[in-house]
Each structure stands twice: as structure tokens, then as C-alpha cells.
Amino acid sequence: MTLPTDEMPLSLHSAAQVRDLDARLIAAGTPGFELMQRAAHAAWRALRRRWPEAGCISVLAGRGNNAGDGYLVAALAQRAGWQVRVFAVGAADALAGDAALARDEALAVGVAVQPWTECAPLEGVVVDALLGTGLSGSVREPCAQAIRLLNASGQPVLAIDIPSGLCADSGRVLGVAVRADLTVTFIGLKLGLFTADAPDQVGELVFDDLQADPDLLATAPSQAVRLALGNLPRLAPRPRTAHKGQFGHLLVVGGDLGFGGAALLAAESALRSGAGLVSLATRMEHIAASLARRPEVMCAGVASANQLLALTEKADVLVVGPGLGQGAWGRALLSAAAGCTVPQVWDADALNLLAVGLAQPPSAGVMTPHPGEAARLLGISTAEVQADRPKAALALAQRFNLCVVLKGAGSLVAAPNGRLALCDHGHPAMAGAGLGDVLAGLLGALLAQGMDSFDAACLAVWLHASAGKTLGALGRGIAASDLIPTIRQLLEEISPCLK
Ligand SMILES: NC(=O)C1=CN([C@@H]2O[C@H](COP(=O)(O)OP(=O)(O)OC[C@H]3O[C@@H](n4cnc5c(N)ncnc54)[C@H](O)[C@@H]3O)[C@@H](O)[C@H]2O)[C@@H](O)CC1
Ligand SMILES: [K+]
């Protein structure tokens, strides 16, 4: 059954887990070649739906079962009267097992199969059947050159199972990868289809379960869960007798000279996401402007750790870091905050100071690094973080014993116990200043209303990304504060204040 995006499974698997699932389906009685035929039918359906008038396909086939799927798509297109050519990349005589059977079927119905050369004419829709979940290491020649020429060709591309060259586990391009317009993926969603480089490679994503036994799919081990309306944590409705003391007192700590807006954005976001009381501990110089913008926020000028500690005594949740800076003022406040036992959200310079050992991590809560901050915290490069985002997020969660939101396309939420969630919403228009401050405030507000760290992080990331997606549709230039009313609206839609 081919499923639309919002009904796709919520489990995300590694390549090894999907291979294991294939093996279990075969062991349960469905021959591998039958699965390959179902995969080809699903790909062919998706191809005709997207390009009904194309009338012509070129298949780039590798040497494994991914190529087998491609040969069977070629056979289906040939039977439908389309113009079809298969280019075999690498030694075609290396095909074995089901893939060789698939090639024989294509030849039997008259498909033209020829060795790939750099002059091979790519016409019509190009079907990428070079590499699937069997990819290991950086793409080697001649596949790499075929991929480069395909990407330069400007032809529409359907990728079978996963764009060739994309790592199914991490979403990283391994040297070079196909940029697909449509990817049809089978049996289990691979985590690597959603994070790191994947959003620029996958195009439209279609899932087909190859008619696998739903119980088998439901019980298959997975790597992570995809956040969607169906599994989002929710806030409970409020009793009609509610009072502000029931929804937490949140204190934002940040806003050094020149960065006052960051802390104010976090405070405003927390206020609009339902925190009972919101306080702001910032530079005295920012108080007048902050009060003018948001009289609902209790603004206090703090000059020392002791002044901050007096405020933290009344707080149920801290949001530490927006605009904090890395100077003496920020360091003093961070050290004071670190010793507080209430749940905390640490962002921005709180994380940079933690990375250089100038603070101890809080005892509970969530940290929200972007890849650069995550790299500093782990003592590795940003490229290494992006090379395996799930691993980096889990490593941070374990090292600091906190929940972690690793930001960037395909944001991940990791818990110290190994739980991992992924948000596949968002929009490139979200790449701008202040959006992280809004996320930190929102997250703090959900903690203040009683959610646990992992649930609050999951819901906050989903709301933030979904609001960004909505506003991004209007174009570039999202101001971070634009996001706040949309987040409020979305939160009400999924967790109404009244029953
Ligand atoms: N029964 C099954 O296992 C099914 C598998 N299916 C398809 O089979 C695919 C997996 O098939 P395979 O496990 O045979 O693997 P693939 O077809 O993904 O790739 C294996 C081939 O790629 C080559 N290769 C590996 N790393 C390379 C690199 N870095 N550079 C260049 N070449 C490289 C290997 O030498 C081998 O020839 C799935 O992605 C899916 O498309 C589907 O047909 C559904 C059923
Ligand atoms: K492929």
C-alpha cells in the first residue's frame, strides 16, 4: 500500500534494521523476488502519477537489488509502450540472485540494456537504481561519475528506495548523491531520508509497505520516532478554576549589552505559550525597553550572581542563555543558574560556556544546540556532527545527562536513555536570527506547565518547525517574533486550553 506523507509510518529505521525486516518478510513466506516486483510496481505507479505524459525513461542500474528494482520498472514501462533504456553502471555480469532474474525479465520483454558510458543519453524520467540500502562507504567510480552527470543533466529523477549516495542511517551525502525529484521508499522509513543533507536530495517522498504484514512492521526494531500529529505529546486542558500559580514561574536569564532582544524574545515566547508567570533577569540597561514592549513580563536588572539567586528561588523553570554573552557578567549568571535544581533550558552562550568548562551542566532539563554548538560541546568538528546527527545528539544527551534538541533541518530530540525523535517539518526561511530564542522560551513554557523534558522538547520542536513551515510559505524574511502568534494558534489546535 502506498501511503501519503501524513499517513507514513512513525518509526524510523537504520539500513541494517530495514535489511533485517526484508529478511524477516522473506522468512515469513514472501520470496525476495516477489518483494522486488512489488517495489517495482510501487515505483512505476508513483512515476506515472508524477509524470503521466513522460512516455520515456532511462534507468541507471547498479549491481545489487536496488538495480533489480530498476530493471523491473524498466520491464513495466516497456510493457506499457514507453521508450525505455537501461544503462548498466559497473560490471553488469556481476548481477546475481533476484537482481539477475530482474535483468533477465527486462531483457525478455525487449528492454534495451547497454553499458553506461559518460556519453550515455539520459532521456525522459531518469530512474536512479544505482545504490540503495547496500551502500557502504563513499560512492566509488564509475557510480560517482554517473551520479554527477545525472545531477548535471537537468532531467527529472525518480530515486528507488533512497537517492544513491545518501547514507540511509545518517542522511549524509557519501561523496556524491543523486538529487531526486521523487523518492519511492519501501518497507520501512530510513532515518537518513529525513535529516542532515537529505532534505535537499530526496524531493517528494512516497512510502510503500510492499504489502508486508502490519504486525511485523509494527514490531520491527527502530532507531527513532517521527514526530507527527498522531504521536505528539499534548498539554492537558485547564480546569475552569485554573490560576496562574498552576502553570509555573519561568525565569529567562540572558541579554548582555547588545543582545537584550534575545532574552526578551524568549520571555515573550514563554508568555504566549502559556507559562503562568514569566520573569526576565537581564542587564539593567534593558529594563525600560523590555517593560515597554511586554509589561506582563517581570523584568529585573541583575548585576551579580547573588542578585540572580534571589530571583531563581521563586522560579520553577529557568531558560538560560539567550543573548547571555561569554563575558564576566554572563559567566557569573550561568554559574549561579547551574546550581539551581529546577529544570532548565540551556541555549546559545550557556552552551558555549559549558563547552569550555566554565560551567557545570544543570541537573535536569534540555539543551538546544545548533550543530556548531554541539560540535564545541563534543570537542569535534561541525562536519563530524552533521556526518551523523543521531549519534551526536545521543552522545550529547548521555554525556550531559540532559535531553538534547539538535537543531537544523531534520531536528532531533535525544534523551539520555537513548530515546530519539525526529521532526521532519520546518522551512529554509527559518534560517535567521532569534528563532532559537523563541524555541527556548516555548520549551521552557511547556516544562513550566508540567511536561517532562523529552515530551516538552518534542512538542516544542514540532510547534516551532510547523509554525516556521506555515510562515515560510509566505517567503523569506521571517522575523522571529512573527512565529510566536502562529505557535500559539497551533498549540491551541492540538492542545485546546478548555476541554
Ligand atoms: N528482498 C530485499 O532485500 C529487497 C530489496 N530491495 C531493494 O534492494 C536494495 C538493497 O539491495 P542490496 O542489499 O543488494 O544493495 P544495493 O543494491 O543498495 O547495493 C549493493 C551494490 O552496491 C555496491 N556498492 C556498495 N557500496 C558502494 C560504494 N560505496 N560505491 C559503489 N558501489 C557500492 C555493492 O558492491 C553492490 O554491488 C534496497 O535499497 C531496495 O531498493 C527491494 O527490492 C525490496 C526487497
Ligand atoms: K537508488
Side-chain angles (χ1 to χ4, degrees):
M1 190 176 26
T2 302
L3 295 171
T5 321
D6 48 357
E7 289 174 27
M8 287 195 307
L10 299 175
S11 295
L12 300 176
H13 307 270
S14 66
Q17 287 168 337
V18 176
R19 273 200 299 275
D20 186 52
L21 201 44
D22 285 346
R24 287 170 64 194
L25 291 173
I26 292 167
T30 312
F33 192 65
E34 169 68 26
L35 290 174
M36 197 174 265
Q37 281 174 317
R38 292 178 191 174
H41 276 281
W44 174 233
R45 268 198 308 276
L47 192 155
R48 275 178 309 159
R49 180 188 48 76
R50 176 82 182 249
W51 296 285
E53 309 294 336
C56 170
I57 62 168
S58 304
V59 179
L60 285 179
R63 295 182 298 167
N65 285 339
N66 195 252
D69 299 347
Y71 280 106
L72 292 181
V73 171
L76 289 167
Q78 180 84 19
R79 284 200 197 97
W82 285 34
Q83 184 192 318
V84 182
R85 248 198 295 217
V86 176
F87 297 103
V89 181
D93 56 2
L95 285 183
D98 292 339
L101 285 180
R103 181 202 45 207
D104 294 348
E105 182 162 325
L107 289 171
V109 298
V111 170
V113 179
Q114 58 198 87
W116 178 81
T117 69
E118 53 193 82
C119 307
L122 295 176
E123 290 167 346
V125 178
V126 181
V127 175
D128 158 33
L130 289 167
L131 299 160
T133 51
L135 170 66
S136 117
S138 284
V139 179
R140 296 186 294 274
E141 298 297 354
C143 269
Q145 193 187 30
I147 292 172
R148 280 193 294 273
L149 290 177
L150 169 55
N151 286 345
S153 72
Q155 295 301 111
V157 179
L158 178 149
I160 294 201
D161 206 20
I162 186 164
S164 296
L166 194 68
C167 173
D169 293 339
S170 66
R172 181 169 58 130
V173 169
L174 295 180
V176 61
V178 167
R179 287 179 80 107
D181 299 289
L182 171 63
T183 297
V184 185
T185 200
F186 313 122
I187 298 187
L189 289 177
K190 294 95 190 153
L191 176 52
L193 288 166
F194 296 94
T195 195
D197 302 319
D200 283 326
Q201 306 294 138
V202 170
E204 179 193 352
L205 183 65
V206 167
F207 171 79
D208 195 283
D209 63 7
L210 305 187
Q211 300 155 47
D213 174 2
D215 288 342
L216 218 139
L217 295 185
T219 54
S222 62
Q223 210 55 7
V225 67
R226 197 168 63 89
L227 296 174
L229 274 178
N231 65 354
L232 275 182
R234 314 222 165 195
L235 287 172
R238 292 186 175 181
R240 287 177 187 270
T241 52
H243 61 87
K244 64 189 177 204
Q246 290 172 286
F247 308 107
H249 183 172
L250 179 145
L251 172 65
V252 177
V253 182
D256 198 358
L257 298 176
F259 305 105
L264 187 58
L265 273 171
E268 187 163 328
S269 173
L271 182 77
R272 289 299 202 180
S273 314
L277 292 162
V278 180
S279 291
L280 171 62
T282 188
R283 284 280 196 178
M284 186 58 85
E285 288 85 343
H286 296 141
I287 299 302
S290 301
L291 284 174
R293 162 126 189 164
R294 271 290 152 227
E296 303 87 346
V297 174
M298 293 172 280
C299 301
V302 288
S304 68
N306 280 343
Q307 285 177 341
L308 180 66
L309 285 174
L311 295 172
T312 60
E313 278 169 19
K314 297 183 205 131
D316 301 307
V317 172
L318 304 187
V319 174
V320 189
L324 186 70
Q326 297 184 41
W329 180 80
R331 291 204 300 266
L333 297 197
L334 184 64
S335 301
C340 299
T341 53
V342 295
Q344 307 196 22
V345 178
W346 277 30
D347 186 35
D349 278 327
L351 301 177
N352 291 324
L353 291 170
L354 177 63
V356 293
L358 286 170
Q360 292 299 310
S363 57
V366 186
M367 59 163 68
T368 55
H370 60 54
E373 288 156 354
R376 288 190 279 282
L377 286 161
L378 288 168
I380 59 178
S381 68
T382 306
E384 285 170 304
V385 167
Q386 290 298 80
D388 198 337
R389 286 168 53 84
K391 185 173 160 199
L394 287 167
L396 276 175
Q398 268 150 27
R399 179 173 303 187
F400 294 100
N401 198 30
L402 292 171
C403 279
V404 171
V405 173
L406 179 57
K407 296 188 282 201
S411 286
L412 291 156
V413 180
N417 66 4
R419 274 178 88 186
L420 192 62
L422 176 137
C423 177
D424 60 358
H425 285 205
H427 195 283
M430 295 177 78
L435 275 89
D437 306 319
V438 170
L439 176 68
L442 163 63
L443 183 39
L446 299 178
L447 291 172
Q449 288 168 87
M451 276 195 158
D452 72 31
S453 295
F454 189 79
D455 283 354
C458 288
L459 181 55
V461 164
W462 187 91
L463 287 167
H464 187 257
S466 302
K469 192 172 163 185
T470 305
L471 295 182
L474 303 175
R476 295 169 167 85
I478 297 179
S481 54
D482 293 349
L483 228 54
I484 295 173
T486 307
I487 290 173
R488 182 171 179 230
Q489 213 175 351
L490 285 168
L491 180 56
E492 177 61 15
E493 273 171 33
I494 64 162
S495 289
C497 184
L498 276 177
K499 205 188 262 178

